[in-house]
DNA sequence: ATAGTTGCAAAAGTTTTGCATTGTA
DNA sequence: TACAATGCAAAACTTTTGCAACTAT
């Protein structure tokens, strides 16, 4: 039954996250989670979906990406004004951002540490810490 | 000559940065730099400018903010998709972001340290490191 | 005068919403 | 059948660009 494994994988992800496995969601989940970790924009994912001969609007791609993010399947990373990436790696990690090409990659390993953080102001708690290391050309 | 001090301050900032001191730039610089450090969006700054009875379009506010940023007078901080803040504090520092209210504030002191950073990939150098500590309600 | 800048209207993107349609029990 | 959830067109944003008008030599 190997032919159906990517399908089952995507299906399981959705049902475990409490999301109904609709056709569009399944197809997008298959593209997103069938392989290694990825960083995609809504635009990119929409392009891939169309290339894979599925009919889906960009609006639905946005909505789906946000639903996946709320469900904990994705993490949103904002690097530039008007440009969100969605990261299939939801574990605690940080990013390199190539200012030239706009590419975003995970910082490998777990060596990067943020220390000396002041306590969160009263009535708040730290929801997440985002570290973006911006790289420009020329070593 | 105290009445002209804010004007002279703004003028000096602009000329030192190599920007021609036009009327709009002077007015916006006065709002931005005449007092303590600030975090403003283009929309906010435009609102303040209009409230101060100056005629300026939102597009010019954007252009001016980017020119100021390129000239090193401001630093752009992107916190959410479609929402850039411009920070009048250009020194090396990081931010708390209140997810509830959308407010951005500097992390006080210089205690926060990022360590364990891998070397930058070949052909690149680290242009900047942004740390955003996201806060949500409830302590 | 004139070469280079500026500032804004209009255009281009990105993201969100309202509602007809679809799918499920 | 009813009920809730989905998916998309259209709307609402934010941001950028092209060019007429201006400015400082």
């Amino acid at each position: 039954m190997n032919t159906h494994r990517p399908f089952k994988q995507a299906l399981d992800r959705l049902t475990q996250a409490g999301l109904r496995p609709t056709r569009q969601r399944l197809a997008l989940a298959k593209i997103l989670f069938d392989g290694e970790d990825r960083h995609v924009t809504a635009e990119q994912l929409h392009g891939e979906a169309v290339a894979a001969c599925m009919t889906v609007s960009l609006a639905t791609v946005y909505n789906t990406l946000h639903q996946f993010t709320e469900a904990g399947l994705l993490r949103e990373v904002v690097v530039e004004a008007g440009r969100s990436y969605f990261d299939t790696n939801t574990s605690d990690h940080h990013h390199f951002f190539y200012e030239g090409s706009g590419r975003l990659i995970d910082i490998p390993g777990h060596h990067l540490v943020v220390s000396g953080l002041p306590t969160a102001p009263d009535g708040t708690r730290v929801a997440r810490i985002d570290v973006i290391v911006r790289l420009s050309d020329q070593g």
Side-chain angles (χ1 to χ4, degrees), chain A:
Chain A
M1 296 301 170
N2 277 346
T3 45
H4 289 298
R5 196 173 288 158
F7 174 82
K8 187 163 187 317
Q9 249 179 8
L11 182 71
D12 288 350
R13 286 245 191 189
L14 292 182
T15 49
Q16 276 165 34
L19 293 167
R20 266 204 221 166
T22 65
R23 186 149 20 83
Q24 266 81 343
R25 285 180 178 171
L26 273 169
L28 293 177
K30 245 188 285 189
I31 295 176
L32 284 170
F33 304 118
D34 184 27
E36 53 196 30
D37 283 338
R38 309 195 49 189
H39 301 90
V40 294
T41 63
E43 189 79 26
Q44 275 169 25
L45 182 58
H46 181 246
E48 291 183 36
V50 169
C53 295
M54 66 175 284
T55 322
V56 65
S57 74
L58 184 55
T60 296
V61 172
Y62 269 103
N63 289 342
T64 304
L65 284 171
H66 286 136
Q67 287 157 357
F68 284 9
T69 301
E70 272 160 47
L73 299 176
L74 293 175
R75 171 175 163 180
E76 188 171 1
V77 184
V78 183
V79 282
E80 289 181 308
R83 201 165 187 188
S84 285
Y85 280 90
F86 293 85
D87 187 349
T88 57
N89 178 355
T90 56
S91 71
D92 194 2
H93 70 288
H94 301 294
H95 295 100
F96 278 130
F97 176 64
Y98 289 80
E99 291 186 335
S101 64
R103 260 172 64 78
L104 187 74
I105 64 169
D106 289 353
I107 292 181
H110 302 274
H111 306 298
L112 195 151
V113 174
V114 176
S115 55
L117 186 69
T119 50
D122 274 3
T124 67
R125 62 183 176 75
V126 174
R128 194 171 86 193
I129 299 179
D130 285 341
V131 178
I132 296 178
V133 178
R134 289 169 193 278
L135 303 172
S136 50
D137 292 336
Q138 186 218 350

